Amino acid sequence: MSLSLALSLLLTVATGTGVASAQSGQHPACCTVTLRVQVPDSIGTVFLAGSLPDLGPWRPDGRALDGKGRERAIQVTTPAGTAWEYKFTLGSWEREALSPSGAVPPNHVLQVSRDTVVVHQLTGFKNDEPRKDPRQYIADWRGSGVLGRLVYWTDVASAFLAPKRHVSIWLPPGYDEASTTRYPVLYMHDGQNLFDPRIANTGVDWGVDEAVMRLVQRGVIPPIIVVGVWSTSERGPEYSPWQGAPQYARFLTEELMPRVNREFRTATGPANTGVMGSSMGGLLSFYLVTHHPEVFGSCGCVSTHFPLSEAVVARAFTDVATSAMPDTTPYLIRDIAAGLKAPPGARYWFDSGTLGLDAEYAPPTNRSAAGSWYRAGPREGTSWCAATRGPPTTRPPGEPGSRIP
């Protein structure tokens, strides 16, 4: 899916690559992938993190590589036909492996069809040297090359959420000159990834400003304000509708949105207020429109982590209580069975890819479940749309310190 497509449908109203060397030996049922990794001197235990279930998925300390010194290795067994993504860390996302240029690389992607050896050479890890404070880039926001103007609020505190967080407010070109114009607002999650490649986790930003302006120039949407709320180390629980999202919603609706509406010329009400995010951010967006339609009228849910279940939470979240025998049924499926309905007038956009981690979001847990739920709602499918994109771009597994994508 292109970001422009999601934005246009949402707002129309008012990934160092490893070198794979295939070895002979087809296996009819399963395949062994051997990862051989050369690391810098004096490096401690190196871990494999990835999208396979026995890696968390995406626990930063999923499995330790064997070996000491500069040569490390690990074997992974998986059925033929499996597509999976992975990275290397020193046990946390604050210490993930970097590309030779020093940037956070995309996920490594491997389509398994036979026994395979993949060779990686790692040159460094995050925080090997003191990391540049993002405030230096915030002060030099023009250096991002952004279209329009960026305003930053740093260390925003909340009575409902423990960690402080930064907030990016993007004002479209012409905002300062059009002194009487009011603008619809799109609230987006993982706000550090939206505009500035120097700050974005992967070294590549989402290009939200460019996508919005392309749509504006084509007359598809009016100019809008984008509010990007940065994620924190509590991203997983905060974004989950079944854990911290109710408190996150109070932060947005009772604290952040009133301040945005005071300080900028916003058009208010659900017809002028949308929300958008990817993976866990997609779940949060889904929750906000479904449970707060009086505030948010539309949502863009990109590669939404609908497979989230009590069993996934037990594996991937820390300090979140679960039962002794966690249920593997996705929370969404349980909610649909309990009678969850789409609120009248709400507008949803869902999409997912078909490879890598996105393969978990394809039928039956995403498109068929979400589609059946929405079609059963008050609008009877008149505005239901979903897209499958491929081949998808690779994605990082979320914020440093997060426990799932």
Side-chain angles (χ1 to χ4, degrees):
M1 179 213 76
S2 71
L3 182 60
S4 295
L5 176 59
L7 286 169
S8 64
L9 290 169
L10 182 63
L11 298 167
T12 301
V13 173
T15 86
T17 303
V19 179
S21 58
Q23 291 185 336
S24 61
Q26 293 279 353
H27 196 292
C30 65
C31 307
T32 298
V33 176
T34 302
L35 303 179
R36 295 178 178 167
V37 183
Q38 188 176 75
V39 302
D41 290 325
S42 304
I43 290 293
T45 303
V46 177
F47 294 87
L48 174 67
S51 60
L52 296 176
D54 65 350
L55 296 176
W58 288 117
R59 290 189 66 93
D61 56 351
R63 282 183 57 191
L65 274 64
D66 297 323
K68 296 181 179 180
R70 298 196 64 191
E71 302 296 329
R72 312 293 173 92
I74 190 169
Q75 288 191 330
V76 177
T77 301
T78 187
T82 299
W84 62 292
E85 303 181 27
Y86 61 95
K87 285 192 166 188
F88 300 101
T89 80
L90 297 181
S92 74
W93 293 119
E94 290 295 333
R95 300 304 312 278
E96 68 177 289
L98 300 175
S99 69
S101 68
V104 175
N107 298 347
H108 303 292
V109 182
L110 188 63
Q111 179 82 40
V112 181
S113 60
R114 55 189 173 185
D115 290 349
T116 303
V117 174
V118 183
V119 179
H120 294 272
Q121 184 171 8
L122 306 182
T123 57
F125 294 81
K126 286 174 66 175
N127 295 326
D128 283 345
E129 298 177 359
R131 187 179 182 185
K132 192 170 183 179
D133 191 325
R135 286 176 178 80
Q136 298 180 52
Y137 299 123
I138 288 172
D140 177 37
W141 64 266
R142 290 182 178 84
S144 68
V146 69
L147 305 175
R149 179 160 68 93
L150 278 173
V151 176
Y152 285 101
W153 295 339
T154 57
D155 295 322
V156 175
S158 170
F160 306 107
L161 303 174
K164 295 180 179 179
R165 67 206 66 222
H166 303 329
V167 177
S168 311
I169 302 97
W170 179 76
L171 306 174
Y175 175 89
D176 294 315
E177 293 75 27
S179 60
T180 61
T181 302
R182 292 192 170 272
Y183 296 81
V185 183
L186 176 63
Y187 288 84
M188 296 188 70
H189 315 303
D190 294 312
Q192 67 273 27
N193 295 328
L194 305 182
F195 305 107
D196 191 336
R198 302 169 302 174
I199 294 173
N201 296 327
T202 63
V204 179
D205 65 280
W206 279 31
V208 172
D209 52 321
E210 294 99 329
V212 169
M213 292 313 300
R214 283 195 298 270
L215 296 170
V216 170
Q217 290 162 5
R218 294 172 191 166
V220 178
I221 64 171
I224 64 170
I225 293 170
V226 178
V227 177
V229 183
W230 293 32
S231 53
T232 72
S233 60
E234 297 300 313
R235 178 180 185 265
E238 285 184 350
Y239 284 13
S240 170
W242 303 277
Q243 276 79 40
Q247 293 299 101
Y248 196 96
R250 295 195 68 182
F251 159 66
L252 287 180
T253 60
E254 298 180 33
E255 296 176 330
L256 185 63
M257 293 179 69
R259 181 178 175 185
V260 170
N261 292 336
R262 284 194 307 269
E263 299 195 23
F264 301 98
R265 299 191 309 277
T266 61
T268 58
N272 296 301
T273 309
V275 62
M276 186 175 184
S278 70
S279 195
M280 287 298 294
L283 270 183
L284 178 58
S285 301
F286 168 83
Y287 168 84
L288 290 169
V289 167
T290 304
H291 293 274
H292 295 277
E294 76 286 357
V295 179
F296 301 98
S298 58
C299 60
C301 306
V302 181
S303 297
T304 307
H305 198 65
F306 282 134
L308 189 70
S309 67
E310 187 182 22
V312 173
V313 167
R315 293 196 307 267
F317 288 8
T318 58
D319 301 322
V320 175
T322 58
S323 62
M325 298 287 290
D327 190 350
T328 59
T329 306
Y331 288 118
L332 175 65
I333 304 300
R334 292 165 54 178
D335 286 358
I336 291 172
L340 181 68
K341 302 296 182 185
R347 304 174 67 243
Y348 296 80
W349 166 267
F350 303 105
D351 86 2
S352 66
T354 57
L355 298 178
L357 184 60
D358 267 25
E360 297 184 29
Y361 305 152
T365 57
N366 185 346
R367 289 187 67 198
S368 65
S372 297
W373 165 79
Y374 191 80
R375 291 203 254 313
R379 300 193 64 173
E380 198 59 33
T382 55
S383 291
W384 164 254
C385 58
T388 300
R389 55 189 162 91
T393 55
T394 57
R395 297 184 295 107
E399 287 308 297
S402 67
R403 296 296 183 264
I404 71 168

